[in-house]
Amino acid sequence: MRHLRFAAGTCRFLPPATVTDSSSILTLQTLVFEPLLRWTDGGRVVPALFSHWQAEAGGRVWTFHIREGARFHDGVAVEAAHVLATIEGILGSVDLFGMKWSYSRYLAQALITAPTRGTIRVENPEPFADILDIFAEFVLIRADATGAPILGTGPYRVASFVPDVAAELVRVADTPGPDRITFLAIPSPEARIEALMAGRADVGMQLERPAKDAREDAALEWGRGLNGLSVMHYLNCTTGAFTHPAARLAINLAVDREAILRDLFHGLGVLSASVVSPVHMGMRAAGLAPIPHDRDRAMRLFEEARTQGPLLLRTPRLMPERALEVTEAVAADLGRCGIATRIEVEEDRPAYARQVGQKRIGDVAIFDSSPRSTFRVLDDKISAGNKAVWWQGYEDAETQRLIAAANRSLGDDAREEAYGAVLRRLHAAPPWLYLFHPIEVFAARPGAGRFALEGTGILRIEG
């Protein structure tokens, strides 16, 4: 019987109505639960708990079919009522910062019903092909008799669980992988490497922080993968210097992002070319290269925009990783262009997120963008039609026209092309200071198995 010991930053099961972008929690969730639909790199979705679906009325009506024979680990058959309860719970929930998720806004006009025990029907006044993106982020979870949210339909059932310590999992599905998994919470990446070297763990994730030499010298098998997270700086497009499009392009030319990756992150990242990563829908069709570092052109554009300092740069210390150091590097590059800056540090990270949602970002504010859905990034952060919580005043008529066209596109190929057009426009007329997408690192003891990192940050067991 094969037994795999899995080391991650945390070991936690979240309540059924909670959505997260934590790589550790998502990896554990993927072993025990199923999403309604499953992401693939490239931003497309494939069947998961929903085995198939149909669109009618030009994309206004969608019918989703639950996989025949799907059962929870306690033997209860999955019915549409379970899925409806999950959807309704998520629509009424808040994120880790106490802010309401955007899902309720996306589905505000939708009528969601269960015509049969095995089907979910979504009716919307307007075409809504992006319902696929939303359902790919919803995971079906039930609580057991003790109230623990550990009952799923995935390949492993939970045999025992101590929060933030360990979970013991037993394989119940005919899928590749070990018979048993011990999922260990080891908060420090250095301690995870030590556990691997000492034989207390077989595979560990989120190992990008330790020094490069430590990774290369360890007698382990190393792997890496691109995370679809975007690390960026919001630009205040409502008041101040960055109301001028030339200034927004200028700051993207002014900052040496390759130096930030090299000096602060051991080169573990890919430079951003638009508002989403290479694993998002639309980026293949967009065919973009990152905006090059060009200080001379940046200075000319700042002069054209009559940009004057000091600019206020706001930052927390963490989330994104090394946020203050990244912001200091941006300030230094602006100084080399003759633009004075002032940095303001917010020590309370949840408060910082709320302030960004309240548009209190100074002139520039570091943040990250985690949705795997191109639709969600545009709808939450870019669209002037919605002016949603994370929108920071960006208004561009051509961008808005292209977003509207993309939102009405049905079929993967049509959506890819339509979103590609939006992303090309946002490359030419940036609303943010684009920085990078992280590369995550994992390691395994020789012979432990085959693993791969997905764009969501999930470490997947392949064999």
Side-chain angles (χ1 to χ4, degrees), residues 155-176:
Y156 290 84
R157 68 172 176 83
V158 180
S160 64
F161 170 55
V162 179
D164 294 319
V165 177
E168 297 291 338
L169 312 179
V170 178
R171 183 158 59 91
V172 295
D174 185 18
T175 55

Side-chain angles (χ1 to χ4, degrees), residues 99 234 351-361 367 387-392:
M99 302 177 70
Y234 273 125
Y352 181 79
R354 290 189 290 271
Q355 290 159 11
V356 171
Q358 295 160 1
K359 323 302 181 195
R360 293 164 55 193
I361 65 169
F367 214 60
K387 299 184 178 179
V389 64
W390 302 119
W391 176 77
Q392 301 296 339

Side-chain angles (χ1 to χ4, degrees), residues 102-401:
S102 299
Y103 302 111
S104 59
R105 179 167 56 81
Y106 307 146
L107 296 170
Q109 304 302 317
L111 175 64
I112 306 175
T113 58
T116 71
R117 288 186 174 183
T119 58
I120 296 291
R121 186 177 176 89
V122 181
E123 301 173 73
N124 202 61
E126 298 294 330
F128 196 21
D130 302 297
I131 187 67
L132 301 177
D133 291 25
I134 294 168
F135 281 171
E137 298 187 355
F138 289 8
V139 176
L140 189 65
I141 300 171
R142 273 183 58 235
D144 67 6
T146 70
I150 59 172
L151 292 176
T153 63
Y156 290 84
R157 68 172 176 83
V158 180
S160 64
F161 170 55
V162 179
D164 294 319
V165 177
E168 297 291 338
L169 312 179
V170 178
R171 183 158 59 91
V172 295
D174 185 18
T175 55
D179 300 295
R180 290 176 52 223
I181 296 175
T182 301
F183 198 94
L184 299 164
I186 304 178
S188 161
E190 291 81 6
R192 291 195 287 277
I193 291 179
E194 182 182 350
L196 289 167
M197 296 295 294
R200 297 191 302 274
D202 301 303
V203 62
M205 62 186 298
Q206 296 171 300
L207 302 178
E208 48 277 357
R209 278 193 212 169
K212 182 179 179 183
D213 290 344
R215 294 200 308 271
E216 291 178 346
D217 291 345
L220 301 169
E221 295 176 347
W222 293 88
R224 59 178 60 188
L226 178 66
N227 191 308
L229 179 81
S230 294
V231 179
M232 48 71 162
H233 278 80
Y234 273 125
L235 303 178
N236 186 341
C237 302
T238 302
T239 61
F242 296 106
T243 57
H244 200 299
R248 299 197 291 267
L249 179 56
I251 193 172
N252 277 276
L253 292 160
V255 174
D256 188 347
R257 294 168 294 161
E258 288 186 349
I260 290 173
L261 275 180
R262 181 188 66 241
D263 298 341
L264 297 179
F265 298 97
H266 313 302
L268 290 172
V270 172
L271 298 185
S272 301
S274 192
V275 296
V276 296
S277 79
V279 299
H280 279 74
M281 174 165 278
M283 281 299 281
R284 177 186 56 78
L288 299 172
I291 297 171
H293 176 48
D294 188 336
R295 186 178 301 157
D296 291 340
R297 187 181 175 207
M299 293 174 69
R300 291 195 298 271
L301 286 170
F302 278 135
E303 184 175 356
E304 176 188 328
R306 298 183 180 180
T307 305
Q308 294 183 342
L311 302 179
L312 175 58
L313 279 57
R314 300 201 70 233
T315 181
R317 292 193 183 275
L318 292 173
M319 292 183 64
E321 189 73 23
R322 307 193 73 168
L324 177 55
E325 293 95 324
V326 173
T327 299
E328 289 172 340
V330 169
D333 277 333
L334 288 171
R336 295 181 185 102
C337 291
I339 306 296
T341 60
R342 178 170 64 88
I343 295 176
E344 181 179 275
V345 179
E346 172 56 70
E347 301 290 348
D348 184 333
R349 181 57 176 82
Y352 181 79
R354 290 189 290 271
Q355 290 159 11
V356 171
Q358 295 160 1
K359 323 302 181 195
R360 293 164 55 193
I361 65 169
D363 295 295
V364 183
I366 194 168
F367 214 60
D368 56 36
S369 176
S370 61
R372 281 288 283 111
S373 163
T374 300
F375 158 75
R376 282 198 59 204
V377 174
L378 297 174
D379 203 77
D380 287 2
K381 300 175 171 74
I382 303 299
S383 174
N386 297 324
K387 299 184 178 179
V389 64
W390 302 119
W391 176 77
Q392 301 296 339
Y394 179 77
E395 299 201 46
D396 178 75
E398 178 63 6
T399 297
Q400 202 59 37
R401 183 188 70 79

Side-chain angles (χ1 to χ4, degrees), residues 21-94:
D21 56 12
S22 164
S23 296
S24 294
I25 295 173
L26 287 172
T27 297
L28 179 57
Q29 278 191 348
T30 298
L31 295 168
V32 178
F33 311 113
E34 286 183 283
L36 303 184
L37 296 169
R38 195 179 309 280
W39 287 113
T40 64
D41 283 350
R44 303 186 182 207
V45 297
V46 295
L49 189 65
F50 288 151
S51 61
H52 59 291
W53 55 89
Q54 299 93 31
E56 305 170 78
R60 290 186 291 275
V61 179
W62 293 77
T63 303
F64 297 89
H65 300 263
I66 297 170
R67 186 182 68 251
E68 188 174 350
R71 290 184 175 275
F72 291 99
H73 294 147
D74 61 353
V76 173
V78 176
E79 296 188 355
H82 297 122
V83 178
L84 277 181
T86 293
I87 294 171
E88 290 168 359
I90 291 173
L91 296 184
S93 68
V94 297

